Amino acid sequence: MAEKVKIMDETGIRRALVRIAHEILEQNRGVEGLVIVGIHRRGVPLAKRLAEAISQIEGVEVPVGTLDINLYRDDLSTIGYHPIVRKTEIPVDVSERTVVLVDDVLYTGRTVRAALDALMDLGRPKAIQLAVLVDRGHRELPIRADYVGKNLPTAKREIISVKIAEIDGKEEVVINEG
Amino acid sequence: MAEWNRKDLLGIEELSAAEIETILDLASSCKQIYSRQIKKLPTLRGKTVILLFFEPSTRTRTSFEIASKWMSADLINISVAQSSVVKGESLYDTAHTIEAMGPDLVVVRHRAAGVPQALAQRLGCSVINAGDGAHEHPTQALLDLYTIQERLGRIRGLNVLLVGDILHSRVARSQIYGLQKMGASVTVLGPSTLLPKGIESFGVKIGKSLDEELPKADVVSLLRIQKERQQSGLFPSLDEYALLYGIGEERLGLIRDDALIIHPGPTNLGVEISLAATEDKRSAINQQVTNGVAVRMAALYLLLGGGGLERHEIAL
């Protein structure tokens, strides 16, 4: 690993999330019928923070859930290890609601594809939107984010590392030259 | 990354505590599907599972069927009465034929110990032991462990009392391995003719009487008196067995309020357990059946989900 470039620090991440919270409210004209769902693992704390930011702005609680996509992966027979399957816990029925999916990095789009399938099995949401902290490009599927913390054009060999306090003990987005 | 690197699930004896924990954790995630309206995951789409049962089974076979179907695997059921085995086909002919059909996993139950192991060596696909003779029945023990953990919140440190026909019981053998690996201590109790010689070498205690042991137990695990395996003369009569080793209404009073009663089923009501005991609030018998699906989903996922395992060459 030759070089490390810090793209976002704690403040940068916080500002991005607050902005996304505003954008979600603007786009959906409030919180009516919203549910924020984080994709395991780092999407989960990010979803919680987005919900907190929204409730600070609007003074209304937004339901938050978690989604595990490992049983919906398209690469299970090729990845060569067993991803840990965590819990899917969404406190409300997703049917007729607008679900905001949250993940740390948007890359090939395959995780989001799996998440869409997983969500559809739980009900028929009115709409699904996608919020990510970093969009690094290189999509392999026709998927795009509705809310992006930072657009980060990368080379495929580069590795984006997102650290979130609840999981990693620190807050940063770093590019490692692979 | 989950702790698992096996092609087959043949017994609890060879599993580590970490591997057992992997299955139990995964089962708890799989159990979430129970509460869904649409019970279908795409996880094992395109995988073929063959159930090969040389012995009758209701719970085990049905729960493997449900687990496979909920995870979208294609399922083929071969039961012996309908297969060429009745025409005298040997086990290896059968294995050969199955291999040629190209399944990804075979679930096998056989009256002879060692059959799943022999198949696993000869088949390129994964093999799950669904009970081999008096040897092991790993998925049963795993669902028992799961049920104990779910109901009592832990396994470590518990006193588990195994009552009945330990000699002929593959469930008992798998339970003993699993419970000890997970840190429980095990006491066995039964007619001396139904305790295997040298059972102490398993590291279990031998209980004296039910009335003495019941108040000490956190879990009372009752084993089925296997009439089909019973040579005559191992104990005087079913009535006497019930008197000495059965959990009737009066013995329910000796079992602690916070203890758990488990039984792998099917029960011989009035022999090892009374109807009242099966319906008691401490009984987890129905919950065991329910949990069987989640545990088998976990096993299927671990054996079929990761493709990085080296598939064995076909050696028939």
Side-chain angles (χ1 to χ4, degrees):
Chain A
M1 228 150 279
E3 224 177 312
K4 272 190 175 183
V5 182
K6 192 181 258 196
I7 303 300
M8 291 171 106
D9 59 7
E10 196 180 339
T11 311
I13 292 174
R14 183 167 41 80
R15 284 179 184 150
L17 290 175
V18 170
R19 173 175 51 77
I20 292 174
H22 279 286
E23 287 175 0
I24 291 172
L25 286 168
E26 188 182 9
Q27 177 74 28
N28 295 288
R29 298 184 181 82
V31 297
E32 185 65 30
L34 269 190
V35 54
I36 315 282
V37 175
I39 301 174
H40 279 294
R41 290 181 75 197
R42 289 180 183 74
V44 170
L46 292 177
K48 270 195 202 114
R49 291 191 209 171
L50 273 178
E52 277 160 22
I54 289 172
S55 76
Q56 272 183 12
I57 299 161
E58 291 288 286
V60 188
E61 293 288 317
V62 192
V64 194
T66 65
L67 189 70
D68 187 281
I69 57 99
N70 282 307
L71 296 172
Y72 291 84
R73 293 173 72 121
D74 61 3
D75 58 354
L76 266 184
S77 54
T78 51
I79 47 177
Y81 66 93
H82 297 92
I84 292 171
V85 181
R86 294 170 202 276
K87 296 276 191 313
T88 291
E89 278 157 340
I90 300 177
V92 293
D93 184 357
V94 297
S95 295
E96 296 313 311
R97 280 183 180 262
T98 297
V99 179
V100 179
L101 271 177
V102 184
D103 206 357
D104 55 350
V105 180
L106 178 59
Y107 184 23
T108 61
R110 288 178 193 269
T111 299
V112 175
R113 194 282 308 158
L116 292 175
D117 283 351
L119 266 182
M120 301 290 192
D121 275 3
L122 297 175
R124 187 179 184 281
K126 187 170 133 212
I128 301 176
Q129 300 169 355
L130 175 63
V132 297
L133 188 58
V134 176
D135 181 349
R136 65 165 294 188
H138 302 288
R139 218 76 78 238
E140 294 168 4
L141 297 171
I143 278 170
R144 58 155 183 78
D146 299 274
Y147 314 103
V148 179
K150 190 150 196 96
N151 275 300
L152 208 56
T154 55
K156 273 197 163 183
R157 64 169 193 287
E158 290 171 322
I159 296 161
I160 304 292
S161 153
V162 175
K163 304 266 194 252
I164 297 297
E166 291 89 325
I167 292 170
D168 311 291
K170 58 176 170 179
E171 297 263 315
E172 61 178 23
V173 177
V174 170
I175 296 190
N176 291 314
E177 191 78 31
Chain B
M1 191 187 307
E3 182 77 31
W4 192 266
N5 195 24
R6 291 176 184 278
K7 167 180 157 291
D8 310 298
L9 176 58
L10 300 174
I12 304 292
E13 187 179 7
E14 59 259 31
L15 296 185
S16 67
E19 286 173 310
I20 294 172
E21 268 165 37
T22 294
I23 300 178
L24 302 186
D25 287 349
L26 191 53
S28 122
S29 295
C30 290
K31 202 176 169 181
Q32 293 196 309
I33 196 179
Y34 289 23
S35 56
R36 289 203 192 167
Q37 231 163 15
I38 300 167
K39 296 178 180 60
K40 200 76 174 173
L41 296 164
T43 320
L44 302 181
R45 221 169 33 160
K47 303 281 187 185
T48 303
V49 172
I50 291 186
L51 303 188
L52 181 61
F53 278 63
F54 294 92
E55 270 193 339
S57 161
T58 307
R59 287 160 189 75
T60 305
R61 197 178 61 196
T62 309
S63 68
F64 269 114
E65 281 184 31
I66 295 173
S68 305
K69 289 182 174 176
W70 283 359
M71 297 184 105
S72 303
D74 291 307
L75 184 83
I76 292 133
N77 230 311
I78 302 179
S79 53
V80 168
Q82 300 153 14
S83 78
S84 295
V85 174
V86 292
K87 299 182 206 158
E89 188 178 75
S90 78
L91 179 66
Y92 294 132
D93 286 339
T94 308
H96 215 357
T97 310
I98 287 168
E99 183 80 63
M101 295 177 197
D104 298 285
L105 185 140
V106 176
V107 179
V108 63
R109 166 172 288 189
H110 199 281
R111 66 181 178 285
V115 165
Q117 290 74 6
L119 282 180
Q121 278 172 16
R122 284 170 177 78
L123 296 180
C125 66
S126 293
V127 175
I128 294 180
N129 178 3
D132 62 327
H135 176 228
E136 280 230 43
H137 188 355
T139 56
Q140 176 68 44
L142 289 166
L143 75 88
D144 295 336
L145 291 171
Y146 182 84
T147 305
I148 292 169
Q149 182 156 288
E150 189 176 62
R151 282 280 286 260
L152 302 183
R154 67 193 170 107
I155 299 170
R156 181 161 302 281
L158 295 179
N159 287 313
V160 182
L161 178 64
L162 262 62
V163 184
D165 180 359
I166 313 287
L167 181 67
H168 297 95
S169 176
R170 53 198 177 206
V171 174
R173 216 159 257 99
S174 292
Q175 280 183 342
I176 290 171
Y177 289 129
L179 287 164
Q180 290 184 334
K181 283 169 200 272
M182 298 305 284
S185 65
V186 180
T187 304
V188 298
L189 183 67
S192 58
T193 46
L194 294 179
L195 297 181
K197 286 196 181 64
I199 180 82
E200 302 89 337
S201 67
F202 277 79
V204 300
K205 284 174 262 178
I206 299 177
K208 289 195 186 72
S209 76
L210 206 49
D211 296 346
E212 197 175 303
E213 297 296 337
L214 282 178
K216 294 190 258 175
D218 298 301
V219 179
V220 181
S221 173
L222 303 170
L223 298 162
R224 187 169 63 90
I225 281 296
Q226 302 183 50
K227 293 172 188 161
E228 75 272 19
R229 283 185 225 283
Q230 210 65 61
Q231 302 120 357
S232 57
L234 286 173
F235 56 90
S237 71
L238 290 175
D239 284 347
E240 185 173 319
Y241 182 89
L243 198 66
L244 288 172
Y245 301 103
I247 303 291
E249 252 164 286
E250 63 294 346
R251 286 215 171 98
L252 271 177
L254 295 174
I255 300 175
R256 289 211 317 267
D257 270 353
D258 58 352
L260 198 62
I261 302 169
I262 60 173
H263 188 299
T267 52
N268 295 304
L269 288 181
V271 184
E272 69 264 6
I273 190 165
S274 66
L275 182 63
T278 63
E279 290 174 347
D280 192 87
K281 67 175 170 47
R282 288 160 290 184
S283 157
I285 296 175
N286 285 330
Q287 201 177 344
Q288 285 174 276
V289 178
T290 307
N291 288 338
V293 177
V295 164
R296 284 163 182 130
M297 286 172 78
L300 291 171
Y301 169 81
L302 288 172
L303 295 178
L304 292 177
L309 301 174
E310 277 181 37
R311 293 288 161 190
H312 289 206
E313 289 298 313
I314 300 166
L316 273 172

